[in-house]
């Protein structure tokens, strides 16, 4: 940063530019923060939906499995009912038959989900079961499902806690149903066992796609762990539900939901890691399924995109800083010219005061002071020339202000294009290409078999095609936004070119196309007209040219257009219209008319309008129209004003001869 910029920043010489720059910087930073937050929220919401859908699938699998097991229970219960058993002795004789062993074996063989089926008497003795015949002497009176049968009433299905089989070490939970005779006496139980492996294998196949640290669990409605993935043997059969699941089911009474938590899961060893937990109550059954992923998994996409957001924000801030630096330099130059203008105004006022004093003092001795009077007239002529020069600088200052405004608009367009490019980069699905490359590299030894025989390999050509189409669309968007950037830069060049075309030197005659000159002057106010909803129309005679001082006529036109704009903004007429007409009046010369339907001019003001120091504006200096009239007179032309009164608009007519005199060709 150079010394001049440090001076400007410390001196507060450009508060508007610095204020706007600070606002834009704040907007860029805020946009980056909001974008990062939005992407994080989107990633979280996406995983929320994914986990909620996953628990719906898991719930359906549990429901289907339990429905199948209950169907087997119904079938066995119907078999007992058909036998019309009257007492405990008949039940023992019926259940102990070899035909019932065959029947139970058929039930387990016909349904691969069922591990075992059995008859149990009211003392807890197993009368018959599908694993062997004759049945060994086994008593299960200490099991929770038999204890529940002794305490509970009704014929509904009871679901036991998982129990580890002593033979094959499998974890099995049992579905039991009580049997009664016609008198309501308890005869015994029918039992169907389901291996926890039915669920844990399915959970393992699903959980592999969730990511590191993820888990899937199945609970009974009293929060007893029935099974889970990854399998934790010391947790199965224990009441260890995480706090989020208990809060949803027990406290909030919800049937399903997804929660985020920073608390540790009692079934996981990881501490202090944020996690997302989805839980769902299995419809029609006393079970709850949960799926859990760590923060590192569901925020992975956000971690990858966050750095690009901040890189883009930093680049935007650098561009903004460079732009502010250039604007500060340009504004300093304008301020210097305005300071010279103010000093000239003060000097002119003092000169007028001195002149009046001298005239009064010399009136009595007029005959003796002819030579002094001549010198005073020469001084007045010099000062008038100085006024014209200062007015020209003021006009150029107005042009420079318009240039700054239009360049600012173009920079806004550049910022929008850069933001759009950043958004495309952040949201691109092409981040999956490294995964495809890794997959191909892992199978490069037998690529043909992988592409033709593996399910994932078969999907690769289609996936690559889809990514190719996505790349085409994103590339088209990036090309479009790049074109917008080029057009914005070209627009800035055009603005500077127009300003240069209007900044001719005083006193130099040249051939000027009147229509082009009017268009160039209007171009600096296009944005103002649009914001104020001003309708501009032109009626210019084609090919109309004038030979004279470009700077002076530019000064006059800019002043008239600016006054018309201010009048239209202050006025109450709608629609607001500005019309500029140019034509060759054979009797008068070339005429340019600037008409508006703004606030108008009262009759008593018309006579004073072109006087030095006269103004109707609260902060006006009364120099613009005065200097414009002088410039028109120096070109042997005239500047006239017409108005029908207040709120009836006004028309200014600049009349120019075909060839201005008194200039250096």
């Amino acid at each position: 940063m150079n010394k001049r910029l440090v001076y400007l920043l410390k001196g507060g010489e450009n508060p508007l530019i610095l204020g706007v720059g600070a606002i834009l910087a704040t907007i860029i930073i805020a946009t980056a923060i909001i974008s990062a937050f939005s992407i994080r929220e989107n990633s979280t919401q996406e995983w929320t939906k994914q986990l909620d859908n996953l628990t719906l699938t898991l719930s359906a699998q549990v429901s289907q499995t339990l429905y199948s097991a209950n169907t087997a229970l119904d079938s066995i219960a119907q078999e007992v009912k058909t036998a019309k058993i009257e007492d405990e002795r008949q039940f023992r004789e019926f259940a102990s038959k070899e035909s019932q062993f065959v029947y139970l074996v058929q039930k387990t063989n016909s349904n691969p989900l069922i591990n075992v089926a059995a008859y149990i008497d009211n003392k807890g003795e197993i009368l018959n079961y599908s694993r062997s015949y004759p049945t060994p002497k086994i008593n299960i009176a200490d099991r929770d499902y038999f204890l529940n049968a002794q305490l509970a009433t009704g014929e509904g299905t009871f679901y036991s806690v998982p129990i580890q089989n002593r033979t094959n070490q499998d974890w099995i939970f049992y579905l039991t149903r009580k049997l009664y005779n016609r008198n309501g006496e308890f005869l015994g139980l029918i039992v169907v066992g389901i291996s926890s492996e039915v669920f844990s294998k399915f959970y393992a196949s699903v959980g592999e796609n969730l990511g590191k640290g993820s888990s899937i669990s199945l609970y009974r409605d009293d929060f007893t762990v029935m099974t889970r993935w990854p399998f934790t043997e010391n947790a199965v059969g224990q009441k260890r539900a995480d706090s989020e699941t208990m809060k949803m089911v027990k406290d909030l009474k919800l049937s399903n939901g997804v929660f985020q938590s920073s608390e540790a899961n009692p079934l996981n060893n990881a501490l202090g890691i944020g996690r997302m937990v989805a839980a769902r109550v299995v419809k029609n059954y006393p079970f709850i399924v949960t799926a859990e992923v760590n923060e590192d998994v569901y925020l992975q996409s956000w971690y990858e995109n966050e750095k690009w957001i901040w890189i883009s924000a930093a680049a935007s801030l650098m561009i903004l800083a460079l732009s502010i630096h250039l604007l500060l330099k340009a504004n300093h130059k304008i301020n210097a010219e305005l300071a010279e203008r103010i000093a000239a105004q003060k000097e002119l006022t003092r000169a007028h005061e001195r002149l009046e004093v001298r005239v009064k003092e010399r009136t009595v001795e007029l005959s003796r002071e002819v030579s002094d009077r001549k010198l005073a007239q020469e001084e007045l002529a010099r000062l008038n020339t100085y006024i014209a020069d200062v007015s020209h600088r003021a006009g150029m200052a107005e042009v420079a202000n318009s240039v700054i405004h239009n360049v600012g608009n173009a920079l806004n367009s550049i910022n929008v294009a850069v933001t759009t490019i950043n958004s495309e980069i952040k949201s691109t699905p092409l981040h999956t290409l490294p995964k495809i490359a890794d997959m191909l590299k892992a199978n490069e030894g037998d690529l043909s078999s992988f592409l033709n025989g593996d399910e994932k390999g078969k999907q690769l050509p289609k996936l690559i095609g889809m990514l190719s189409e996505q790349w085409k669309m994103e590339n088209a968007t990036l090309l479009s936004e790049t074109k917008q950037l080029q057009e914005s830069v070209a627009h800035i060049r055009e603005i500077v070119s127009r300003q240069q075309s209007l900044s001719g030197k005083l006193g130099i005659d040249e051939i000027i196309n009147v229509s082009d000159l009017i268009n160039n002057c209007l171009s600096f106010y296009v944005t103002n007209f649009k914001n104020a909803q001003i309708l501009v129309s032109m009626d210019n005679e084609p090919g109309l040219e004038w030979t004279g001082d470009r700077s002076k006529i530019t000064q006059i036109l800019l002043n008239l257009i600016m006054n018309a704009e201010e009048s239209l903004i202050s006025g109450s007429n709608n629609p607001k219209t500005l019309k500029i007409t140019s034509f060759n009046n054979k009797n008068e010369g070339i005429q340019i008319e600037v008409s508006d339907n703004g606030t108008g001019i009262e009759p008593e003001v018309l006579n004073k309008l072109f006087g030095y120091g006269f103004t109707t504006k609260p902060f006006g200096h009364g120099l613009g129209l005065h200097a414009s009239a002088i410039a028109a007179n120096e070109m042997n032309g005239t500047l006239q004003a017409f108005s029908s009164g207040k709120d009836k608009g006004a028309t200014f007519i600049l009349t120019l001869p075909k060839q201005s005199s008194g200039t250096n060709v």
Side-chain angles (χ1 to χ4, degrees):
M1 188 179 292
N2 58 37
K3 295 181 178 180
R4 179 58 190 164
L5 183 56
V6 172
Y7 166 75
L8 291 173
L9 291 171
K10 290 183 178 180
E13 194 171 301
N14 303 275
L16 179 60
I17 295 176
L18 294 176
V20 171
I23 292 173
L24 291 176
T26 302
I27 291 174
I28 291 172
I29 295 172
T31 300
I33 294 173
I34 292 171
S35 297
F37 178 80
S38 176
I39 293 175
R40 183 187 179 100
E41 285 300 304
N42 289 340
S43 181
T44 302
Q45 291 175 8
E46 183 176 325
W47 269 94
T48 298
K49 293 178 182 178
Q50 183 175 338
L51 286 184
D52 190 59
N53 291 334
L54 176 59
T55 59
L56 183 61
T57 302
L58 297 174
S59 173
Q61 187 257 353
V62 173
S63 180
Q64 291 172 2
T65 302
L66 296 179
Y67 175 82
S68 177
N70 274 283
T71 300
L73 275 178
D74 293 338
S75 177
I76 298 173
Q78 184 61 37
E79 179 76 7
V80 176
K81 186 176 181 181
T82 303
K84 298 180 180 181
I85 297 172
E86 295 294 332
D87 54 30
E88 179 183 352
R89 180 186 60 77
Q90 290 182 5
F91 174 68
R92 292 180 63 86
E93 291 176 356
F94 167 82
S96 301
K97 294 178 180 179
E98 184 176 0
S99 61
Q100 288 303 309
F101 165 75
V102 174
Y103 177 77
L104 294 177
V105 171
Q106 289 176 347
K107 287 296 177 184
T108 56
N109 291 339
S110 63
N111 191 336
L113 299 177
I114 298 176
N115 182 272
V116 65
Y119 291 109
I120 301 172
D121 68 8
N122 57 8
K123 303 293 191 302
E125 294 289 333
I126 297 179
L127 302 177
N128 207 337
Y129 76 149
S130 59
R131 287 180 179 160
S132 65
Y133 186 87
T135 305
K137 186 175 180 61
I138 301 174
N139 188 287
I140 49 85
D142 60 335
R143 299 288 174 88
D144 68 325
Y145 54 86
F146 188 83
L147 295 174
N148 177 77
Q150 291 180 320
L151 298 175
T153 60
E155 298 181 359
T157 302
F158 174 77
Y159 302 86
S160 75
V161 298
I163 301 171
Q164 191 172 25
N165 185 282
R166 298 184 182 92
T167 304
N168 57 16
Q169 304 302 312
D170 285 347
W171 287 86
I172 301 172
F173 65 93
Y174 297 94
L175 287 70
T176 65
R177 191 172 298 172
K178 297 176 66 175
L179 295 174
Y180 299 91
N181 61 12
R182 288 187 298 177
N183 297 324
E185 295 174 345
F186 175 52
L187 298 177
L189 299 174
I190 52 175
V191 179
V192 170
I194 300 177
S195 173
S196 295
E197 195 173 73
V198 171
F199 301 97
S200 58
K201 283 185 177 180
F202 179 72
Y203 295 167
S205 65
V206 173
E208 290 177 352
N209 299 320
L210 293 179
K212 184 179 180 181
S214 303
S215 65
I216 300 174
S217 302
L218 175 65
Y219 299 96
R220 200 167 61 178
D221 60 0
D222 63 350
F223 304 108
T224 298
V225 180
M226 304 300 286
T227 186
R228 74 185 304 273
W229 174 87
F231 189 80
T232 307
E233 187 170 293
N234 60 358
V236 176
Q238 305 298 317
K239 294 183 179 181
R240 292 188 179 184
D242 65 277
S243 60
E244 300 304 324
T245 302
M246 296 183 70
K247 177 181 178 182
M248 186 202 81
V249 177
K250 188 175 181 180
D251 298 336
L252 299 179
K253 309 296 183 183
L254 298 176
S255 62
N256 66 284
V258 182
F259 297 87
Q260 290 178 257
S261 174
S262 58
E263 298 179 5
N265 187 330
L267 299 179
N268 287 340
N269 295 324
L271 298 176
I273 298 178
R275 57 197 178 93
M276 181 182 292
V277 181
R280 182 178 296 271
V281 175
V282 180
K283 188 175 181 181
N284 300 324
Y285 297 101
F287 289 89
I288 305 166
V289 291
T290 68
E292 174 183 327
V293 293
N294 289 337
E295 185 177 83
D296 292 339
V297 174
Y298 68 82
L299 292 181
Q300 181 180 2
S301 176
W302 178 73
Y303 291 143
E304 294 174 354
N305 290 321
E306 183 187 28
K307 64 179 180 180
W308 291 111
I309 294 175
W310 292 112
I311 291 173
S312 301
S316 299
L317 289 173
M318 292 176 64
I319 294 173
L320 177 62
L322 178 61
S323 301
I324 292 175
H325 171 67
L326 296 176
L327 289 174
L328 287 173
K329 289 183 65 177
N331 195 52
H332 172 67
K333 184 176 180 180
I334 293 171
N335 288 338
E337 292 180 357
L338 290 175
E340 291 178 6
R341 174 180 169 183
I342 293 171
Q345 288 177 336
K346 292 180 179 179
E347 183 179 345
L348 179 60
T349 302
R350 289 194 297 268
H352 273 282
E353 292 173 352
R354 291 196 302 268
L355 179 59
E356 290 177 359
V357 171
R358 290 177 63 186
V359 169
K360 290 179 181 179
E361 291 175 350
R362 296 295 187 271
T363 300
V364 179
E365 302 174 355
L366 185 59
S367 59
R368 292 180 300 171
E369 297 179 356
V370 173
S371 59
D372 292 336
R373 183 176 180 183
K374 184 177 180 180
L375 292 175
Q377 290 175 341
E378 292 175 353
E379 176 70 3
L380 182 59
R382 185 186 68 80
L383 290 175
N384 283 336
T385 302
Y386 190 75
I387 289 174
D389 183 57
V390 171
S391 298
H392 169 70
R393 294 181 183 180
M396 291 303 103
E398 295 292 345
V399 172
N401 281 331
S402 296
V403 169
I404 292 172
H405 182 72
N406 290 329
V407 169
N409 290 336
L411 289 174
N412 283 339
S413 297
I414 291 175
N415 187 52
V416 170
V418 170
T419 302
T420 302
I421 292 174
N422 290 338
S423 176
E424 285 294 326
I425 294 174
K426 291 182 292 184
S427 62
T428 179
L430 297 178
H431 63 270
T432 58
L433 283 175
K435 295 182 180 180
I436 296 174
D438 292 340
M439 193 179 297
L440 292 173
K441 185 175 180 181
N443 294 275
E444 64 182 354
D446 192 7
L447 192 58
S448 176
S449 298
F450 173 70
L451 292 175
N452 295 312
D454 189 271
E455 286 299 321
K456 293 183 178 179
K458 292 178 180 179
Q459 298 298 322
L460 278 183
K462 181 178 179 181
L463 178 58
I464 293 173
M466 293 171 63
L467 291 177
S468 175
E469 291 299 320
Q470 181 65 28
W471 175 87
K472 291 178 181 178
M473 292 188 290
E474 291 181 358
N475 188 53
T477 301
L478 293 176
L479 289 175
S480 175
E481 294 302 329
T482 304
K483 182 179 180 182
Q484 179 63 36
L485 287 174
Q486 292 173 337
E487 289 175 354
S488 298
V489 173
H491 182 50
I492 293 175
R493 291 176 179 170
E494 181 182 358
I495 292 169
V496 174
S497 176
R498 287 179 178 173
Q499 189 272 340
Q500 292 173 343
S501 70
L502 294 177
S503 58
K505 295 183 179 180
L506 284 169
I508 303 299
D509 287 355
E510 57 182 297
I511 298 175
I512 302 170
N513 185 293
V514 176
S515 179
D516 290 345
L517 182 63
I518 293 172
N519 280 326
N520 286 340
C521 291
L522 284 173
S523 67
F524 290 97
Y525 296 88
V526 169
T527 302
N528 295 357
F529 292 155
K530 183 177 180 180
N531 293 337
Q533 296 183 338
I534 296 173
L535 303 178
V536 180
S537 62
M538 293 186 293
D539 185 10
N540 299 319
E541 181 176 325
L544 187 63
E545 294 183 341
W546 173 75
T547 302
D549 193 328
R550 177 186 293 271
S551 296
K552 289 180 179 179
I553 190 172
T554 298
Q555 171 191 337
I556 296 170
L557 289 176
L558 288 175
N559 191 271
L560 295 180
I561 294 172
M562 180 183 68
N563 288 344
E565 175 203 8
E566 293 173 351
S567 174
L568 288 167
I569 292 174
S570 301
S572 58
N573 293 329
N574 282 303
K576 303 178 186 296
T577 60
L578 170 63
K579 182 176 182 180
I580 300 180
T581 305
S582 63
F583 59 96
N584 186 6
N585 188 326
K586 294 182 179 179
N587 296 326
E588 300 290 337
I590 294 176
Q591 290 188 332
I592 302 175
E593 295 181 2
V594 180
S595 302
D596 66 76
N597 65 340
T599 57
I601 306 171
E602 296 181 351
E604 60 268 24
V605 175
L606 276 174
N607 297 329
K608 306 174 185 178
L609 202 59
F610 297 101
Y612 175 80
F614 179 81
T615 181
T616 59
K617 303 175 185 177
F619 303 100
H621 47 66
L623 188 61
L625 288 176
H626 176 68
S628 296
I630 292 176
N633 185 61
E634 289 176 347
M635 295 184 291
N636 290 336
T638 60
L639 181 60
Q640 299 171 289
F642 303 90
S643 177
S644 298
K646 185 177 181 182
D647 295 326
K648 294 185 179 181
T651 299
F652 286 79
I653 300 177
L654 173 63
T655 303
L656 300 169
K658 292 184 178 181
Q659 176 64 56
S660 62
S661 61
T663 59
N664 298 321
V665 180

